[in-house]
Amino acid sequence: MAFDHLQDALTILSNDNLRRRRTILQDDYDGVIKVDCQHYLNFSSNDYLGHRQHQDILQSYVEGLSRYGAGAGASPLVTGHSQCHQALEDHVADSLNREAVLLFSSGFAANQAICQALMYDGDTIVSDKLMHASFIDAAIHSPAQLLRFKHNDIEHANQQLTKASGNTLCVSEGVFSMDGDKGELAALQTSSAQHNAWFMLDDAHGFGVLGETGMGSVEAANLSQDQCQIVMGTFGKAIGTGGAFVAGSQVLIDYLINKAKHYIYSTAFSAAQAKATLTSIELVKNGGARHKLHDNIQYFKTLAKARDLPILESDSAIQPYLIGDPAKALAASECLKQLGLWVNAIRSPTVPKGSDRLRITLSALHQEKDIDALVDGLTMMRTKIG
Ligand SMILES: *Cc1c(COP(=O)(O)O)cnc(C)c1O
């Protein structure tokens, strides 16, 4: 029979405790989700600031919907690029001190577009081993050779840069999506410049959170367009809407508009979404939710330390609890569910084999008593699972 391997692959995944299943949310409000008629405190969302349900952002969305309709109606180069999209691009470019910005329907698409449109045979991508799958997948499928360096290991990055040929793109993340630690941006930028490579940052988890006005890792590390030539960020995490952007020189953006298939042949996200996203970014700059998030992170870290929990070193909203085995990670997640706490298990291949974990994410929506419940739950879980 044709495609017999589909069922075989699923059976293997099930046997290895690596099969993935979706959860159907019946409700989702104020940091609490309802699944199978049970309510859980949600510690797995990337809605770090609680902007997904912020009244001002929803109001902008509604105004956008009534004026521009539910969908963009076309790809950006046809009639899908509205004044809301342009205003958002201009605002992000201004905020990041970049010449121009291009919107994408997702971060996944943006990373694919960068690797496919910019890289040619003979070129090189030098990237951190722990880059997000959307980038690694794109890099593997691009015509360029891919050289990876050990996570945040500058020495190794330098070795790889020395081996690089052609136009070279050195890539890291502002905040790593599974470990929550920051990239070594200053050192990587220096190495890139020494090797005449461009430096790119995927700032999916930094944009909206880090930097004096929340504009992310580039603001926090004070990297100019000449130092970090490509900034990719997403709106689906701290910003609370969806979609993504690439920021850089006018030439880079004009080139992508002409060559990036993921941009040219895809319907633009709605004007309403662009309008809501702009409102969200303006609110980020006010800072209230960011400060609450940072307080929550410090509060969690203090409690976790006092209980000696195996949390990886991280100052971000992402606080990984290392377990090291996929079956145990699932059991831990299940145990926490019994206590009304929703914390997803992350297994290989999303994280390296043997580093299966609970990925705890904190949000400005959490109150101290929620974090108390989480730490009590983790402590009980540890006793039970071992
Ligand atoms: C989420 C994420 C992406 C993908 O962004 P989407 O908009 O969700 O497609 C890319 N890179 C990193 C580091 C991410 O965490």
Side-chain angles (χ1 to χ4, degrees), residues 38 58 68 105 146 168 262 334 350 352:
Q38 301 260 28
L58 298 182
Y68 299 95
S105 50
L146 171 63
T168 302
H262 298 80
E334 212 41 60
T350 306

Side-chain angles (χ1 to χ4, degrees), residues 106-108 111 132 134 173 177 202 204-205 232 234 237 243:
S106 72
F108 193 98
N111 277 338
H132 192 258
S134 61
E173 287 187 18
S177 60
D202 176 337
H205 297 277
M232 192 289 271
T234 64
K237 280 135 188 171

Side-chain angles (χ1 to χ4, degrees), residues 163-206:
K163 287 189 209 151
S165 60
N167 288 305
T168 302
L169 189 62
C170 178
V171 194
S172 185
E173 287 187 18
V175 175
F176 280 85
S177 60
M178 292 302 141
D179 285 34
D181 58 340
K182 295 191 178 102
E184 294 286 343
L185 308 191
L188 284 172
Q189 183 273 312
T190 307
S191 299
S192 301
Q194 280 164 357
H195 290 87
N196 194 29
W198 270 16
F199 181 48
M200 166 179 163
L201 208 58
D202 176 337
D203 206 23
H205 297 277

Side-chain angles (χ1 to χ4, degrees), residues 18 20 128-131 148 151 177-179 312 322-326 346-357:
L18 293 175
R20 290 142 192 266
D128 191 290
K129 273 209 164 136
L130 294 191
M131 285 292 296
R148 301 216 256 170
H151 179 52
S177 60
M178 292 302 141
D179 285 34
L312 293 184
L322 205 57
I323 293 186
D325 171 83
I346 307 281
R347 295 163 287 166
S348 92
T350 306
V351 292
K353 249 197 173 128
S355 74
D356 309 270
R357 66 194 63 183

